[in-house]
Amino acid sequence: MKKICLIMLVNARKLFIIPLIFIGWNTVQAQEVWTLKQCIDTAQVYNKTLQINRNHISISEQREKEAKANLIPKVTANADYKYFMELPTQLMPMNALNPQAPEGQFRDIQFGVPHNINANVQLVMPLYNPQVYGAIENTKIANELTQLQFQKSEEQVLYDITTLYYNAQILKHQLDFLESNLINTQKLLKNMELLKEQLLARGTDVSKVKLQAEQLNTQRENVHNKYISILNALKLNIGIPLEQNMTVVSEIEQQALTDNNKENILDLKIIQTQNKLLNSELSTLNKSRFLPSLNLIASYGTTGFGYDKTLNDFLKFYPIGFAGLQLTYPLFNGTVTQRKINQKKLEISNNELQAQLIGDKNKMEIENATRQRHTAQQTVINTENQIALAQSIYEQTILQQKQGTATLTDVLLADNALREAQQNYLSAVVDYLKADLELKKLTGTIQSIKN
């Protein structure tokens, strides 16, 4: 009696789990369908990586404006107050006041008053400064480099989103295949149970089919969990809440093969712009080494003197102002500039070598990706035909099994062959999509996915 109750509980649990799986599957089917273009367009607005890189562009623009602002006149207001507890002492030759005094003898004299007040406004305007003009040029090139790096990050975001989208499509196809296989297995199970009732099949045959049905249910549940995980990762990259319901388009588009021998223009542009920036910095160092700086300076203010002893106490102010030019020419700075120049030349050399390396590597990867995509597309066509053939064999074997000319083993073998063909098809599609996406990234055409 206990054994019968236990069997009933186990069967009840199975009957409870299977409807839950169907409910979960139907929920996925009812979710809002997002196209790849919708995902990319939404990511352009909400992806946090792109937002961070847009801020980097704004920072770069502000740095360029900051460098240009060094050409604007600078005005400062200065004020100071000094109280001398001991007045400054100077030595005066004694013959300055007494011509008869011997030469070479001095007398200490304290000049000034205890209270000194200074207040002025100073103007400094650079007329020519090689470092300032060099910094302006450098920040302009650095801004171009930041723009290119934003495009690079945008390409990476497109690549990540497209990869996740394709993975979700593959898993959705796998769920469709599992659903179809489960329906076939359930039909087979009904037939086997009917044959068992007619004493034309053994109990072990029914158990084998039940085992296969349970395995398919478990596999479908695992694939469904992977599908949800991929969708969550896709939502994170798009920048939408994880609570938002979404699913992907089932149909996988396969573009026609075209010869595309372009190099990764963006990577080469980044290297070239970096080279341009390095050469600009080298030019600035050379100019600052040999060219002077010329500034216009002006000041206007007042100087106050105060005496706080009785009878003769006073506080008097006297205006002071001047305007002029200030010329600064570097004579020797301990070879610091020369060391910086040597470093910059080595950086330029490394940059040129890196450009050659990227060019060679890019050509090799484009050739490999093109060949892999072509092979994968042919494999997709072949596996599609294999699925059709395996489906036909399975259906014929089912008919033969009903007619008694085929065994359950033949049916299970045909079913396994069908599932293997389906798995081979999905693997071929994965290889094709991966190679196609990699080729777009290498040739700098990944932006076409947005269109």
Side-chain angles (χ1 to χ4, degrees):
M1 185 66 181
K2 290 182 179 179
K3 185 175 181 181
I4 294 174
C5 292
L6 181 61
I7 293 173
M8 292 178 64
L9 285 173
V10 171
N11 291 333
R13 182 175 177 273
K14 290 180 181 177
L15 291 173
F16 179 72
I17 292 174
I18 291 175
L20 281 181
I21 296 174
F22 275 105
I23 291 171
W25 172 243
N26 291 331
T27 302
V28 171
Q29 295 285 66
Q31 290 176 340
E32 181 184 356
V33 178
W34 283 55
T35 64
L36 178 57
K37 187 177 185 305
Q38 284 178 305
C39 294
I40 292 173
D41 290 344
T42 306
Q44 293 287 332
V45 180
Y46 297 107
N47 182 271
K48 292 180 175 55
T49 301
L50 294 181
Q51 292 176 359
I52 291 171
N53 281 278
R54 287 192 186 97
N55 288 338
H56 287 161
I57 292 177
S58 299
I59 292 171
S60 181
E61 291 173 349
Q62 292 299 320
R63 285 175 178 167
E64 183 180 352
K65 293 178 180 179
E66 177 189 355
K68 292 179 178 178
N70 286 320
L71 296 175
I72 301 174
K74 306 297 185 295
V75 180
T76 58
N78 305 291
D80 66 77
Y81 165 76
K82 295 177 183 177
Y83 173 73
F84 290 92
M85 294 174 289
E86 293 291 341
L87 294 175
T89 301
Q90 292 289 336
L91 294 179
M92 177 179 290
M94 294 183 67
N95 58 10
L97 300 176
N98 183 8
Q100 296 179 356
E103 189 174 338
Q105 293 186 3
F106 299 88
R107 182 178 180 180
D108 53 326
I109 299 177
Q110 289 183 305
F111 288 98
V113 292
H115 301 276
N116 285 261
I117 301 173
N118 292 292
N120 60 69
V121 177
Q122 290 185 345
L123 170 72
V124 178
M125 178 179 177
L127 299 178
Y128 177 76
N129 190 318
Q131 293 181 343
V132 172
Y133 286 105
I136 292 173
E137 185 63 24
N138 293 344
T139 54
K140 188 182 298 183
I141 299 172
N143 191 24
E144 294 177 13
L145 184 60
T146 306
Q147 297 276 357
L148 292 173
Q149 289 171 341
F150 170 78
Q151 294 177 32
K152 184 68 177 177
S153 66
E154 186 180 31
E155 283 192 356
Q156 187 61 45
V157 169
L158 290 178
Y159 182 86
D160 293 340
I161 289 177
T162 307
T163 300
L164 290 169
Y165 194 90
Y166 286 162
N167 286 336
Q169 285 184 309
I170 293 298
L171 290 172
K172 193 172 184 181
H173 271 271
Q174 193 171 357
L175 285 171
D176 291 338
F177 282 143
L178 288 171
E179 179 70 17
S180 174
N181 294 336
L182 189 57
I183 291 173
N184 291 337
T185 302
Q186 289 170 344
K187 290 180 181 178
L188 178 60
L189 180 59
K190 290 181 181 179
N191 291 336
M192 294 307 299
E193 289 174 343
L194 182 61
L195 290 173
K196 181 185 176 184
E197 291 175 0
Q198 298 172 357
L199 303 178
L200 297 176
R202 294 173 296 180
T204 55
D205 294 336
V206 176
S207 299
K208 288 179 182 178
V209 180
K210 283 184 177 179
L211 176 61
Q212 180 167 292
E214 291 179 4
Q215 290 173 339
L216 286 172
N217 271 321
T218 301
Q219 188 177 358
R220 185 177 63 172
E221 186 176 3
N222 291 335
V223 172
H224 173 69
N225 289 334
K226 290 180 182 178
Y227 178 72
I228 297 300
S229 298
I230 291 294
L231 286 182
N232 287 338
L234 184 60
K235 293 174 187 176
L236 179 64
N237 279 267
I238 293 173
I240 61 177
L242 296 179
E243 297 78 17
Q244 184 167 343
N245 292 327
M246 71 172 295
T247 187
V248 296
V249 177
S250 298
E251 183 180 356
I252 301 175
E253 296 183 2
Q254 298 181 30
Q255 299 180 358
L257 294 178
T258 56
D259 294 331
N260 195 337
N261 298 321
K262 290 195 302 181
E263 296 180 345
N264 191 335
I265 299 174
L266 188 56
D267 271 351
L268 292 177
K269 277 186 175 180
I270 289 175
I271 292 295
Q272 291 168 359
T273 307
Q274 288 174 343
N275 186 275
K276 185 179 176 182
L277 178 59
L278 290 171
N279 279 286
S280 177
E281 291 173 347
L282 179 61
S283 176
T284 301
L285 286 172
N286 284 321
K287 289 179 180 178
S288 65
R289 183 182 177 190
F290 298 109
L291 296 178
S293 299
L294 182 64
N295 295 325
L296 170 66
I297 58 174
S299 176
Y300 184 82
T302 182
T303 300
F305 299 100
Y307 186 75
D308 57 354
K309 303 300 180 181
T310 55
L311 300 180
N312 294 323
D313 55 330
F314 65 87
L315 178 62
K316 297 181 179 180
F317 290 91
Y318 303 92
I320 181 174
F322 67 87
L325 299 175
Q326 184 183 58
L327 179 69
T328 304
Y329 186 84
L331 295 177
F332 181 71
N333 66 346
T335 70
V336 172
T337 303
Q338 183 60 47
R339 303 303 171 217
K340 291 182 179 180
I341 290 173
N342 293 340
Q343 294 174 34
K344 202 60 64 178
K345 287 180 179 179
L346 291 172
E347 290 178 15
I348 292 172
S349 177
N350 282 343
N351 178 268
E352 292 171 351
L353 291 172
Q354 188 178 5
Q356 295 174 11
L357 179 62
I358 286 179
D360 295 340
K361 183 181 177 183
N362 192 257
K363 289 178 182 178
M364 178 199 69
E365 290 178 340
I366 287 176
E367 182 179 347
N368 291 341
T370 303
R371 184 169 57 254
Q372 289 172 3
R373 190 179 74 158
H374 185 273
T375 302
Q377 190 171 50
Q378 293 300 319
T379 306
V380 169
I381 296 173
N382 294 336
T383 51
E384 283 179 341
N385 296 331
Q386 291 171 10
I387 288 176
L389 181 59
Q391 182 67 38
S392 175
I393 293 173
Y394 177 80
E395 292 172 356
Q396 292 175 13
T397 307
I398 288 292
L399 290 175
Q400 292 172 0
Q401 193 258 349
K402 289 180 179 179
Q403 296 170 0
T405 58
T407 64
L408 175 62
T409 302
D410 296 328
V411 174
L412 295 178
L413 288 174
D415 182 68
N416 288 333
L418 175 59
R419 283 192 279 170
E420 184 178 354
Q422 293 169 348
Q423 188 59 43
N424 291 338
Y425 167 76
L426 291 176
S427 298
V429 172
V430 168
D431 292 340
Y432 170 79
L433 294 175
K434 181 179 178 182
D436 182 70
L437 187 59
E438 188 68 24
L439 187 60
K440 285 185 172 69
K441 184 178 180 181
L442 291 168
T443 55
T445 58
I446 196 170
Q447 295 283 353
S448 62
I449 297 176
K450 296 192 296 184
N451 301 328

